Amino acid sequence: MSEYSLLFEGIIFPGKGTKPELLCELRDNFVVKDEDTITVTYPKSGTNWLIEIICLILSKGDPKWIQSVPNWDRSPWVETTHGNKILKDQEGPRICTSHLPIHLFPKSIFSSKAKVIYVIRNPRDVLVSGYFFVRKMNIAKKPETLEQYMEWFLQGNVLFGSWFEHVRGWLSLRERENFLVLSYEELIKDTRSMVEKICQFLGKKLKPEEIDLVLHYSSFQFMKENKMSNFSMLPEDFITEGFSLMRKGVVGDWKNHFTVAQAEAFDKIYQKKMAGYPPKLFPWE
Ligand code: A3P
């Protein structure tokens, strides 16, 4: 643990943004509305990219909103004090975001028709992305080496707990019609088809030229330069020199960072923890 984080029910949270009382209250009493759209991810899976795409679909490609309002106000994080306050006061259809594992998410989700989009990403790339992120941000204990972070990651001793439990927990809802699973890998491979799929899921009809705008304004390069989306507007005490949310934006960067021995050790644990899972869900398998 570190001065920056807190432990709630055995799971590490960024301590500056939330409180145990809020997490309790949220799970038991937060009302998910049928007209809500919720982006749920394990951190570093492409959360902010999906937020950008959803916002742009809602604005039919008009970038005014994404260029004038920070992403955490457009699609507030349910589990943060800041986001929770916005959502509580908000009338009508809301869009929101969460990294919560399913057992800590508001229980009302189970009886709600809210649309949930869950983004998965190869955990090896999630690990590498998380390693660089946590080292540059003052939100959790900073690992000294990738080896050390891998150890924490495989034990679930990182922000929002175990990747394996997060993914298995949320994917238990995958047969529901109000639940869409996307992968970072598919988003990279064929962004247009994925945007069209999201439009269909949300019941939004966009013209081809509006889809072009969504693609343009949610591109890696555009997001990297958009201060409303690249986290550069976070309070100074959250970030350190050289931080960038949009780091590389590629598939398979883990191959540049894992040693052969690390890759083998990771695979062994992965196989054990994901035993019995249909591989067709995971494009990296
Ligand atoms: P890398 O660190 O591998 O570059 P999250 O939003 O869940 O924190 O995920 C962050 C990861 O998504 C980062 O991965 C970031 O570069 C990548 N990402 C964000 N926006 C992207 C975009 N428009 N296209 C591709 N990757 C993007």
Side-chain angles (χ1 to χ4, degrees), residues 15 28 59 111 133 154-156 158 174 187 192 212 224 229 235 238 249 275:
D28 296 334
S59 72
S111 53
F133 184 77
L154 291 171
Q155 292 164 347
V158 287
R174 69 185 184 276
L187 273 165
R192 176 175 282 271
D212 290 342
K224 196 176 169 82
S229 314
F238 271 89

Side-chain angles (χ1 to χ4, degrees), residues 4-5 12 32-34 45-46 74 78 94 111 117 120 123 132 147 160 181 201 218 222 235 257 259 274 279 283:
Y4 308 124
S5 43
I12 303 173
V32 175
K33 299 184 200 163
D34 287 347
S45 302
R74 283 183 262 128
V78 178
R94 303 175 295 187
S111 53
I117 305 183
I120 50 174
F132 288 107
E147 177 84 19
F160 296 93
V181 184
F201 180 68
S218 66
F222 200 89
H257 297 280
T259 62
M274 297 311 280

Side-chain angles (χ1 to χ4, degrees), residues 207-225:
K207 299 186 188 121
E209 55 273 28
E210 291 168 339
I211 303 260
D212 290 342
L213 294 172
V214 173
L215 295 174
H216 175 71
Y217 292 118
S218 66
S219 66
F220 184 82
Q221 208 46 44
F222 200 89
M223 283 182 67
K224 196 176 169 82
E225 281 153 31

